Amino acid sequence: MTYRIERIGRTDTDWERLREVRLAQLLDTPMAFVETYGTALAHGDEEWHSRVRRVNEPGSVGLAAVHDSGGDDGGDGDGAGEWVGTMIGFTPEPGTALLVGVWVHPEHRGRERGVTDRMLDAIVAWARETGARRLLLTVHEDNARAAAFYRRRGFEPTGATKPYPLDPAARELEMALPLVRSGSDQA
């Protein structure tokens, strides 16, 4: 299987593809997101267009992992292929990037496929380009699979938690990845 990582918003139909993936995310791993399937299903077309615009604003990036069944790993930029994952980053404040919207379709998960690693590599590169010194995320306390992936990639719990918005009895755990390298990268 071949995959490529693309910016969300490259084609006029990306809003439809984003909607399709979001609904799949919410059915597959509802605890990983702060929106219910019913709420997302009820959104009109303008909301999906707006989400694509938001990930293309300054200080934001939206990435899609595209499964390219034709075998052309490089892709030709025509938007062909099935979206099998997303990651979104934004900079809520100078020096900090935030990772949200992380998901890979179950059939495309696993270290051997490398889809999640490739998307995270692209997000880390983007975050460094913005000047961020750290990349933050929150993970639901019951999402052990995601937390293990983040730990493998160098994220560490910060100790900060917050109530999960869809169930305040549950917690979201904050994790951080330092982005400043030793030597010349330090400010």
Side-chain angles (χ1 to χ4, degrees):
M1 294 185 176
T2 58
Y3 302 93
R4 65 182 185 275
I5 308 303
E6 293 183 353
R7 293 273 318 233
I8 295 171
R10 291 170 38 118
T11 73
D12 292 340
T13 60
D14 278 6
W15 69 273
E16 295 169 308
R17 297 169 89 181
L18 182 61
R19 179 182 188 271
E20 180 181 321
V21 167
R22 182 61 167 191
L23 293 173
Q25 292 171 347
L26 295 169
L27 287 174
D28 176 60
T29 320
M31 76 172 122
F33 305 97
V34 293
E35 177 176 45
T36 67
Y37 178 82
T39 300
L41 190 61
H43 290 316
D45 295 354
E46 181 50 36
E47 172 62 20
W48 299 104
H49 284 281
S50 174
R51 290 181 184 204
V52 170
R53 285 191 301 271
R54 277 196 306 264
V55 299
N56 284 285
E57 291 176 352
S60 299
V61 66
L63 301 177
V66 182
H67 175 232
D68 202 6
S69 59
D72 177 10
D73 192 41
D76 59 9
D78 68 356
E82 175 189 8
W83 283 18
V84 298
T86 61
M87 279 192 189
I88 297 168
F90 65 94
T91 52
E93 61 189 51
T96 300
L98 187 61
L99 178 63
V100 298
V102 176
W103 180 78
V104 174
H105 189 282
E107 293 177 10
H108 301 274
R109 291 179 186 150
R111 193 182 300 192
E112 68 282 354
R113 289 200 171 99
V115 176
T116 313
D117 283 308
R118 287 181 60 193
M119 282 195 296
L120 185 56
D121 289 345
I123 290 286
V124 167
W126 163 83
R128 283 187 170 128
E129 288 173 10
T130 71
R133 299 179 58 80
R134 66 184 183 154
L135 180 59
L136 293 178
L137 60 85
T138 58
V139 61
H140 191 284
E141 64 188 347
D142 293 333
N143 197 343
R145 182 187 74 235
F149 167 75
Y150 297 130
R151 280 192 301 275
R152 178 174 67 79
R153 290 301 307 263
F155 285 84
E156 293 291 335
T158 65
T161 67
K162 64 181 181 179
Y164 174 59
L166 299 181
D167 177 6
R171 309 296 296 166
E172 289 185 311
L173 313 174
E174 184 180 75
M175 298 181 82
L177 175 70
L179 297 176
V180 176
R181 298 179 196 154
S182 61
S184 63
D185 283 355
Q186 292 187 10

